[in-house]
Amino acid sequence: PGHHAESDLVGGFCYFNNSAIAAQMLLDQFERVAIIDVDVHHGNGTQQIFYHRDDVFTLSLHADPRRFYPFFWGYAEETGNGAGLGCNLNIPLERGTEDGPYLDELNHALERVNDFQPDALVISLGLDASIDDPFQGLRITPDGFGNIGRRLAALAKPTLLVQEGGYMSDNLSLNLQAVLAAFQ
């Protein structure tokens, strides 16, 4: 994974922020990029890297940091700064949030992504929001992951999926298959 790596700090087993590197490379071809992070943990590194910029919109849906790593970042009031004001959207979710409420929040968040009018997307694909994940932050089922994938694919933009978290569980491969099937 990479979304905890900041421009000058490693963290959360992350040394290189793969999503941020990909977004920066996509800016060579596209004017605006959105990073959509569906990992159970907030993408604090991604937020830090782009927090003052208006060419990359960062969205993170994650377990509420009041009770979940990384604890110090990922609050709803963190919306960007300077030129980046309004280009960062955090959606902290109550621990144990299931498919329905998660997808409702995702739908609302994707409206903001559409308002930004990105030319390309980077998906920080964390599968650790799973109902079977040992950290039990959120409770997304394989069907829920399929719905996440369908909603992201429906944005109909050039899209790069970057694997983030996902700890050993019986449904880990099913969750990945569900998301990937939505992009076929």
Side-chain angles (χ1 to χ4, degrees):
H3 69 159
H4 297 304
E6 299 183 15
S7 59
D8 59 352
L9 181 70
V10 300
F13 309 111
C14 302
Y15 298 97
F16 297 101
N17 191 316
N18 302 307
S19 293
I21 293 167
Q24 187 61 49
M25 292 180 72
L26 284 169
L27 288 171
D28 291 339
Q29 298 174 26
F30 300 101
E31 188 174 330
R32 297 163 72 85
V33 174
I35 300 174
I36 301 171
D37 191 329
V38 297
D39 191 279
V40 73
H41 302 99
H42 174 252
N44 59 293
T46 307
Q47 174 177 299
Q48 182 269 337
I49 290 168
F50 296 109
Y51 203 66
H52 299 278
R53 293 175 50 178
D54 62 1
D55 55 349
V56 176
F57 184 88
T58 55
L59 161 63
S60 181
L61 289 94
H62 51 270
D64 192 323
R66 288 178 298 158
R67 296 183 53 219
F68 212 75
Y69 183 85
F71 305 113
F72 303 105
W73 301 275
Y75 295 92
E77 62 270 10
E78 298 165 12
T79 60
N81 197 5
L85 186 62
C87 293
N88 188 78
L89 176 60
N90 289 323
I91 301 185
L93 302 166
E94 289 299 318
R95 201 163 181 165
T97 296
E98 297 178 342
D99 291 353
Y102 183 97
L103 294 168
D104 290 344
E105 291 291 342
L106 178 62
N107 287 338
H108 170 71
L110 293 181
E111 290 175 12
R112 290 279 309 278
V113 171
N114 277 327
D115 291 344
F116 179 74
Q117 300 179 337
D119 303 302
L121 305 173
V122 175
I123 309 302
S124 291
L125 182 59
L127 300 172
D128 51 2
S130 171
I131 192 169
D132 295 313
D133 190 81
F135 287 109
Q136 295 291 296
L138 301 175
R139 298 183 53 79
I140 308 304
T141 66
D143 285 342
F145 277 103
N147 283 311
I148 291 168
R150 278 187 282 288
R151 284 167 170 77
L152 297 173
L155 295 173
K157 303 283 184 190
T159 302
L160 173 66
L161 300 171
V162 176
Q163 178 65 55
E164 290 288 350
Y167 303 91
M168 291 305 296
S169 70
D170 292 339
N171 282 338
L172 185 59
S173 64
L174 296 176
N175 296 335
L176 179 59
Q177 290 170 18
V179 173
L180 295 179
F183 282 89
Q184 290 185 0

